[in-house]
């Protein structure tokens, strides 16, 4: 695990949803890039351009669609109790960014709330589980024919070393499209099936001239975090590169039915070549997506 970061989950298996939080208690330079057309996000504007606050304290990834953004309030409360955040001179104001997936059709109508976010922080550690945990509890992939024929998604993680620095990617894979493996010729790993056989969502849409798609609302979200030294501009550039990892592992990606969002957090402890980082990030994200469904 990368020094300076902790990850925690809150899993609601009965409701079919959950929350995953990435914490940098001492702050991290943040970036973000939103590519999907149906996003649910919080505090993304402060990561762009000339803003007063450069560092963030946590990224909260949740199920529950827009309702699940409430979990960020619990993350704020936990951090504030530990006096972590932007110090105004009188108060600590934690900077918590967040994004959500749509999982309201997985089981019951349930969503992570303030208590969920707090609980995820309380158990955050340098070692953590992946698979159907946290925000990945209700995650599914491949939904062109609806929920009855999709595959299970989840939370995946991968690390790549770049000299002395390390890049980690945690991804909640909950896509409209299929998860594919380019190392195996782009074959389907998880996704829509018909009579037990992978359909190939993108090919099916093109060959059948499908229009007015009704695959629900989906969204793949994640966070790349590193101990490398980055400026805010570089963090945002790496957030763009993170989506290349999604494009290499999800087909189709960034659709009108996805709200794909990728964050970046930099602990700024190690020096690394920036071009090398732009190569490592897509690879880590691609591996994390595959890890999520294989788990």
């Amino acid at each position: 695990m990368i020094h300076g970061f902790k990850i925690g989950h809150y899993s609601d298996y009965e409701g079919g949803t959950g929350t995953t939080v990435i914490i940098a208690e001492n702050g991290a330079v943040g970036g973000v890039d939103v590519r999907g057309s149906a996003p649910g996000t919080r505090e993304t504007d402060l990561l762009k351009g000339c803003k007063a606050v450069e560092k963030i304290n946590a990224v909260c990834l949740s199920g529950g669609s827009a309702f699940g953004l409430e979990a960020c309030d619990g993350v704020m409360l936990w951090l504030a109790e530990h006096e972590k955040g932007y110090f105004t001179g009188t108060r600590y104001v934690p900077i918590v960014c967040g994004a959500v997936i749509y999982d309201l059709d997985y089981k019951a109508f349930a969503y992570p709330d303030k208590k969920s976010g707090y609980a995820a922080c309380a158990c955050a550690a340098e070692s953590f589980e992946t698979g159907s945990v946290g925000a990945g509890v209700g995650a599914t992939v491949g939904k062109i024919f609806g929920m009855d024929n999709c595959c299970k998604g989840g939370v995946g993680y991968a690390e790549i070393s770049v000299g002395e620095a390390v890049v980690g990617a945690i991804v909640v894979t909950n896509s409209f499209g299929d998860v594919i493996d380019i190392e195996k010729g782009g074959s389907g790993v998880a996704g829509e099936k018909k009579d037990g056989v992978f359909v190939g969502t993108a090919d099916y849409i093109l060959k059948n001239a499908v229009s007015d798609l009704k695959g629900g609302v989906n969204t793949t979200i994640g966070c790349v975090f590193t101990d490398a030294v980055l400026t805010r501009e570089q963090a945002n550039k790496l957030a763009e590169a993170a989506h290349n990892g999604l494009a290499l592992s999800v087909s189709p990606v960034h659709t009108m039915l996805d709200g794909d969002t990728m964050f970046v957090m930099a602990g700024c402890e190690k020096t690394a070549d920036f071009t090398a980082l732009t190569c490592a990030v897509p690879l880590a994200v691609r591996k994390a997506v595959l890890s999520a469904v294989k788990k």
Side-chain angles (χ1 to χ4, degrees):
M1 181 61 177
I2 300 170
H3 180 259
F5 296 92
K6 294 180 180 179
I7 292 177
H9 301 296
Y10 172 79
S11 304
D12 177 4
Y13 291 108
E14 183 176 350
T17 191
T19 293
T20 296
V21 62
I22 304 96
I23 298 175
E25 293 182 356
N26 296 321
V29 173
V32 69
D33 191 31
V34 181
R35 297 280 178 97
S37 296
T41 58
R42 165 181 166 138
E43 297 281 38
T44 53
D45 281 356
L46 64 79
L47 299 179
K48 299 287 188 178
C50 183
K51 300 295 191 296
V53 178
E54 185 175 74
K55 291 188 175 183
I56 64 177
N57 300 102
V59 167
C60 182
L61 309 173
S62 291
S65 190
F67 297 101
L69 289 172
E70 182 186 334
C72 296
D73 295 337
V75 178
M76 281 198 69
L77 178 59
W78 188 90
L79 288 166
E81 288 180 355
H82 291 77
E83 296 188 340
K84 302 297 182 181
Y86 179 76
F87 187 60
T88 65
T90 56
R91 298 285 187 273
Y92 286 94
V93 180
I95 308 300
V96 179
C97 301
V100 292
I101 66 168
Y102 184 90
D103 58 3
L104 298 178
D105 298 330
Y106 181 64
K107 281 192 176 180
F109 173 71
Y111 58 89
D113 57 12
K114 188 174 183 178
K115 292 181 179 179
S116 305
Y118 190 97
C121 290
C123 69
E126 292 182 355
S127 61
F128 55 93
E129 293 183 85
T130 57
S132 292
V133 294
V137 168
T140 50
V141 299
K143 282 160 276 190
I144 189 173
F145 298 142
M147 290 291 290
D148 291 340
N149 299 286
C150 66
C151 286
K152 188 70 183 69
V155 174
Y157 179 73
E159 281 186 7
I160 304 290
S161 294
V162 182
E164 295 183 353
V166 181
V167 170
I170 187 164
V171 179
V172 185
T173 306
N174 182 65
S175 55
F176 167 75
D178 308 316
V179 172
I180 60 172
D181 190 345
I182 60 170
E183 291 184 352
K184 296 181 179 178
S187 60
V189 176
E192 194 66 62
K193 294 182 178 180
K194 196 170 186 179
D195 299 324
V197 178
F198 285 118
V199 171
T201 298
D203 287 342
Y204 182 87
I205 292 171
L206 293 173
K207 290 177 181 178
N208 294 277
V210 176
S211 61
D212 192 25
L213 292 170
K214 302 187 186 307
V217 182
N218 309 274
T219 300
T220 296
I221 55 178
C223 181
V224 170
F225 53 102
T226 179
D227 52 7
V229 177
L230 296 178
T231 65
R232 177 156 44 197
E233 290 75 16
Q234 288 174 324
N236 279 289
K237 192 65 180 178
L238 287 187
E240 294 177 9
H243 282 280
N244 294 340
L246 295 186
L248 291 170
S249 55
V250 178
S251 177
V253 70
H254 305 146
T255 74
M256 297 300 291
L257 303 173
D258 292 285
D260 304 332
T261 300
M262 295 298 297
F263 293 95
V264 166
M265 302 174 76
C268 297
E269 295 181 351
K270 305 276 183 71
T271 301
D273 181 81
F274 186 69
T275 299
L277 290 171
T278 64
C279 295
V281 167
L283 178 58
V285 170
R286 184 181 73 83
K287 288 187 173 183
V289 170
L290 291 170
S291 167
V293 296
K294 288 179 177 179
K295 272 283 191 172

